[in-house]
Amino acid sequence: MCGTGRSKPVEALKTALEGSPLKTRDERCKSANWIVVHRAMMAIRDIDGMFNSLDTEYYDILMKYLYRGLSTGDRPTCDQCLKIHEKLTERAGLGCILRSLADTVNTV
Amino acid sequence: MFLQRHDQIVSGIDWSRSSNKIVTVSHDRNSYVWTQEGQDWVPTLVILKLNRAALCVHWSPKENKFAVGSGAKSVSICYYEQENNWWISKVIRKKHESSVTSVAWHPNNIHLATTSTDGKCRVFSTIIKGVDTRGPQAGASVDWKFGEQIAQLDLSPTWAFGVRWSPSGKTLAYAGHSSMIYFVDDVEGSPAAQNLALRDLPLRDILFVSEKMAIGVGFDCNPLIFAADETGLWSFVRYLDERKVTPSTSKASQLSEALGKLYGQSRQGSSSDTVEPSKPRGGAHENCITCIVPLRKGSESIVKRFSTSGLDGKIVVWDLENHITIPK
């Protein structure tokens, strides 16, 4: 894999996370953003590398999307989400999980 | 020695330093003020008129009033009426959309902050004619009527706990159940809030050790130290109990141990049955700390000792004196 190929999924993920519609209640808007995040997430092969270039401000939002992914029940999605979940929890701590679960107002 | 009167869980207790009275509230919807007579403590029933459990209680700074938060979405302010020799309660019924989890008195003896499971922190005026309107008063607080809401903070998307004022009353702090702690300056005027995200588990109670240092306690079973710098910016310093393995790495590794079985399903396709819950290792408390109370000597303004109690049934006394320097 060439260098640029490896960094594109991370950039795509960052862009997708930035566009998270947390404040809206519009389900179609949330679904649309989820599709983009999902695609970017599934394309990532080097998870540690991803975290090295992802700022901590994205951690809480990413955790929310991981739980959305886990709720799909789709095997490849859940596999990827669990892999990322493990690393994210190591880096962000249990508080990150708390914030994604307890916040029923700002959902993805 | 047992003070026996309540017939359900005693959910709140406070001891007034100068007047030496203990007030207790319970899930049985009653409150008692205990007065010491010789060796005995004699209870006086205070009628709160609640149809749900009482959850928390605090004496006011002047100890002439106490506030009770309840599951009936109300706050009862009780004061002593000399003529009839009993305690009367005035209820603030409006505004709260759910149970009131904690109450805290501003040093001016009138403003009361509350937190609720509706996630909001509110400040009310508790001014009572005949109790507060005697002698010289701070002008601003007399403008509000009893039960009027002065401020409402909607910072937490989930339950709020453990509200406390700093010693001067300039800063207000409370905990959100999504592992957040909120520090708010000048609540009654133009509120300026700082939302601190915690790395680990949520807090249940807070104590201001000085104007610039606060201790948070909760589900980490280990007190957290927070300090403000010269500009007033709050941040997490460290955990107080060094005997506990550093929570951030240990929790994550314990969690990974437990989740490893779950993750294992995705890696090897093997199935596993149960996931063992992770236990905190070492340290003074073995379960969630629910309460933190200062132990003051004389009229010290800085708290050097405090006690914590928790779901493990333990009461632990902590001494800060030789462990950290407390910024004033």
Side-chain angles (χ1 to χ4, degrees):
Chain A
M1 259 199 204
C2 64
T4 46
R6 232 181 302 145
S7 67
K8 276 202 182 115
V10 186
E11 290 308 312
L13 183 63
K14 267 198 225 173
T15 314
L17 291 177
E18 266 165 34
S20 305
L22 291 169
K23 302 291 179 191
T24 181
R25 293 192 188 223
D26 187 343
E27 277 310 315
R28 292 169 306 172
C29 189
K30 289 182 195 277
S31 295
N33 201 256
W34 161 241
I35 291 169
V36 180
V37 172
H38 180 235
R39 202 174 297 157
M41 208 193 290
M42 294 307 287
I44 291 175
R45 297 281 162 256
D46 178 14
I47 295 174
D48 284 313
M50 170 192 82
F51 277 112
N52 287 333
S53 52
L54 192 68
D55 297 324
T56 55
E57 61 187 281
Y58 294 110
Y59 285 177
D60 283 359
I61 304 172
L62 177 60
M63 186 60 86
K64 290 184 184 180
Y65 277 111
L66 288 180
Y67 277 100
R68 179 154 183 169
L70 289 172
S71 73
T72 62
D74 169 58
R75 189 61 193 256
T77 306
C78 288
D79 280 355
Q80 182 75 334
C81 285
L82 277 175
K83 286 199 187 100
I84 301 177
H85 187 286
E86 182 179 14
K87 302 286 177 183
L88 181 57
T89 310
E90 257 174 54
R91 285 178 179 249
L94 295 175
C96 184
I97 298 179
L98 255 297
R99 274 184 291 283
S100 67
L101 292 180
D103 190 352
T104 51
V105 172
N106 306 307
T107 57
V108 297
Chain B
M1 147 173 259
F2 287 91
L3 304 183
Q4 224 143 359
R5 223 11 117 92
H6 288 294
D7 42 21
Q8 282 180 51
I9 294 177
V10 176
S11 46
I13 183 167
D14 199 13
W15 202 329
S16 62
R17 292 179 71 208
S18 320
S19 52
N20 194 35
K21 290 195 197 307
I22 299 177
V23 61
T24 58
V25 294
S26 160
H27 285 189
D28 65 9
R29 299 169 275 125
N30 286 331
S31 163
Y32 288 96
V33 173
W34 303 79
T35 332
Q36 190 168 24
E37 281 167 28
Q39 287 295 318
D40 301 316
W41 285 87
V42 180
T44 310
L45 175 67
V46 179
I47 299 182
L48 300 173
K49 291 177 284 195
L50 290 178
N51 58 5
R52 290 289 183 277
L55 300 174
C56 51
V57 64
H58 268 290
W59 284 106
S60 71
K62 291 209 182 98
E63 297 169 4
N64 53 1
K65 297 187 285 191
F66 62 88
V68 182
S70 81
K73 312 181 199 177
S74 66
V75 182
S76 305
I77 310 294
C78 304
Y79 62 98
Y80 188 66
E81 201 179 67
Q82 191 69 48
E83 305 87 74
N84 293 314
N85 187 27
W86 67 350
W87 293 82
I88 295 189
S89 103
K90 284 189 80 169
V91 189
I92 303 174
R93 275 187 218 287
K94 291 182 278 188
K95 299 299 181 184
H96 293 102
E97 293 150 25
S98 188
S99 301
V100 179
T101 53
S102 74
V103 291
W105 289 93
H106 186 283
N108 68 12
N109 208 59
I110 292 177
H111 292 169
L112 182 78
T114 67
T115 49
S116 165
T117 41
D118 66 10
K120 302 186 183 43
C121 174
R122 299 173 174 85
V123 180
F124 294 91
S125 164
T126 64
I127 196 158
I128 298 176
K129 248 195 284 199
V131 178
D132 298 303
T133 50
R134 261 194 230 126
Q137 287 293 326
S141 42
V142 190
D143 295 335
W144 302 90
K145 287 190 294 188
F146 177 87
E148 252 190 285
Q149 182 178 284
I150 297 169
Q152 178 172 297
L153 300 166
D154 197 1
L155 302 169
S156 175
T158 182
W159 302 342
F161 293 99
V163 65
R164 285 290 174 275
W165 296 90
S166 66
S168 70
K170 179 177 137 312
T171 311
L172 185 70
Y174 67 101
H177 209 54
S178 53
S179 287
M180 299 285 293
I181 183 169
Y182 305 97
F183 290 96
V184 188
D185 285 327
D186 196 20
V187 189
E188 300 105 314
S190 41
Q194 287 172 53
N195 304 5
L196 260 72
L198 303 177
R199 200 195 146 77
D200 291 296
L201 298 176
L203 301 174
R204 285 296 299 276
D205 205 359
I206 297 171
L207 173 71
F208 271 95
V209 156
S210 75
E211 202 59 38
K212 292 246 188 293
M213 183 172 276
I215 311 275
V217 291
F219 291 91
D220 287 321
C221 316
N222 193 348
L224 281 73
I225 306 173
F226 298 93
D229 63 14
E230 320 79 51
T231 64
L233 200 68
W234 288 89
S235 62
F236 168 67
V237 179
R238 65 173 174 88
Y239 283 91
L240 187 54
D241 194 348
E242 279 135 0
R243 282 175 301 160
K244 267 195 185 304
V245 175
T246 328
S248 43
T249 48
S250 88
K251 279 257 159 52
S253 61
Q254 288 162 31
L255 186 67
S256 287
E257 251 177 67
L259 283 180
K261 293 189 177 174
L262 192 61
Y263 295 137
Q265 286 182 359
S266 70
R267 275 199 268 267
Q268 297 132 23
S270 58
S271 64
S272 61
D273 296 347
T274 50
V275 172
E276 292 137 26
S278 51
K279 291 193 181 78
R281 293 167 192 169
H285 277 289
E286 289 159 5
N287 207 325
C288 175
I289 305 175
T290 50
C291 181
I292 179 169
V293 170
L295 298 169
R296 271 184 241 264
K297 275 203 197 108
S299 55
E300 282 172 353
S301 58
I302 294 182
V303 175
K304 300 201 183 108
R305 288 170 80 230
F306 59 86
S307 76
T308 54
S309 63
L311 298 180
D312 54 358
K314 288 188 185 176
I315 297 180
V316 180
V317 175
W318 305 79
D319 197 327
L320 292 173
E321 194 112 42
N322 303 313
H323 294 284
I324 45 171
T325 37
I326 305 170
K328 290 208 173 87

